[in-house]
Amino acid sequence: MGRALRADAERSVRAILEAAERVLAADPSASMEQVAEAAGVARTTVHRRFASRQALIEALAESAVRQLGQAIEDARPDTAPPLVALHRVTANVLRIKGAWSYALGRPADEGGAAAAGWDQVGARCVELLGRARDEGLLDPAADLEWVRRVYYALIGEALHGDERPDPDPDTLATLVVDTLLHGAGRRPGAV
């Protein structure tokens, strides 16, 4: 999908990708015909835009990772105070990962655009954690790659471990950031 699409074609692709997320999240073995039906387009439209089921899944992953990257940038990780940026990034990531759980929950194809997007997301995360460490929010000796992995695990647990039907991303972000920065131990001076 190298060249720009007309507005109607772009809407059609967006509808197909949104439908693919819903249908494949419910049934990972769903066919392109089922995706077309859910998108409200003809099967030939899906086949014209995506040469194969795998091409559709790769486009879905690429789109979702691109949205994840944009959500991170929307949080202003380079200019907002690190604690504010960390909370905003976390809430935004929870929203996107919750909406695109199928696309973002599968491993990216090596060498593909989604894999490159994931690499960029990881690098941006480590940069933000570096700012947090420089600001004194993290231990000066903290291994930022390890902290990133723990942060990702906390986000995963927030998404999959909460049984509430519609958990608030801001509330979950507060829990994730508080746990990341303070752990579960007793805080100095707490009664």
Side-chain angles (χ1 to χ4, degrees), residues 110-128:
E110 222 176 293
W118 275 117
D119 290 345
Q120 186 174 2
V121 164
R124 295 296 281 144
C125 181
V126 169
E127 288 170 11
L128 177 55

Side-chain angles (χ1 to χ4, degrees), residues 64-80:
V65 171
R66 189 172 40 252
Q67 289 180 56
L68 186 63
Q70 186 59 53
I72 291 167
E73 296 310 317
D74 289 348
R76 299 179 34 230
D78 296 324
T79 57

Side-chain angles (χ1 to χ4, degrees), residues 14-24 34-40:
R14 189 170 42 249
I16 292 166
L17 293 176
E18 289 170 357
E21 172 62 34
R22 287 189 314 274
V23 169
L24 293 169
Q34 290 170 296
V35 170
E37 183 178 323

Side-chain angles (χ1 to χ4, degrees), residues 2-67:
R3 60 177 208 200
L5 298 173
R6 293 185 335 253
D8 60 331
E10 192 173 310
R11 279 190 302 275
S12 177
V13 167
R14 189 170 42 249
I16 292 166
L17 293 176
E18 289 170 357
E21 172 62 34
R22 287 189 314 274
V23 169
L24 293 169
D27 177 9
S29 65
S31 68
M32 289 180 67
E33 288 74 19
Q34 290 170 296
V35 170
E37 183 178 323
V41 299
R43 180 179 52 86
T44 56
T45 302
V46 175
H47 286 283
R48 188 174 348 139
R49 297 289 173 218
F50 305 100
S52 66
R53 186 175 185 281
Q54 185 59 34
L56 172 62
I57 291 171
E58 287 172 15
L60 178 62
E62 181 181 340
S63 174
V65 171
R66 189 172 40 252
Q67 289 180 56

Side-chain angles (χ1 to χ4, degrees), residues 49-188:
R49 297 289 173 218
F50 305 100
S52 66
R53 186 175 185 281
Q54 185 59 34
L56 172 62
I57 291 171
E58 287 172 15
L60 178 62
E62 181 181 340
S63 174
V65 171
R66 189 172 40 252
Q67 289 180 56
L68 186 63
Q70 186 59 53
I72 291 167
E73 296 310 317
D74 289 348
R76 299 179 34 230
D78 296 324
T79 57
L83 183 58
V84 172
L86 189 57
H87 184 274
R88 286 180 185 163
V89 164
T90 305
N92 289 355
V93 165
L94 287 166
R95 282 183 187 93
I96 297 297
K97 287 187 73 97
W100 297 93
S101 62
Y102 174 81
L104 295 173
R106 54 186 313 280
D109 293 334
E110 222 176 293
W118 275 117
D119 290 345
Q120 186 174 2
V121 164
R124 295 296 281 144
C125 181
V126 169
E127 288 170 11
L128 177 55
L129 292 171
R131 287 187 67 224
R133 182 180 62 191
D134 295 346
E135 191 76 18
L137 298 172
L138 295 170
D139 186 287
D143 175 345
L144 294 182
E145 185 56 33
W146 176 253
V147 175
R148 180 193 64 79
R149 291 173 56 195
V150 169
Y151 175 61
Y152 282 15
L154 289 170
I155 287 174
E157 186 58 30
L159 285 167
H160 305 295
D162 199 320
E163 299 302 320
R164 292 176 285 181
D166 188 24
D168 175 52
D170 288 311
T171 301
L172 291 176
T174 298
L175 290 171
V176 167
V177 171
D178 187 54
T179 304
L180 179 70
L181 298 179
H182 306 292
R186 192 176 188 155
R187 292 190 189 160

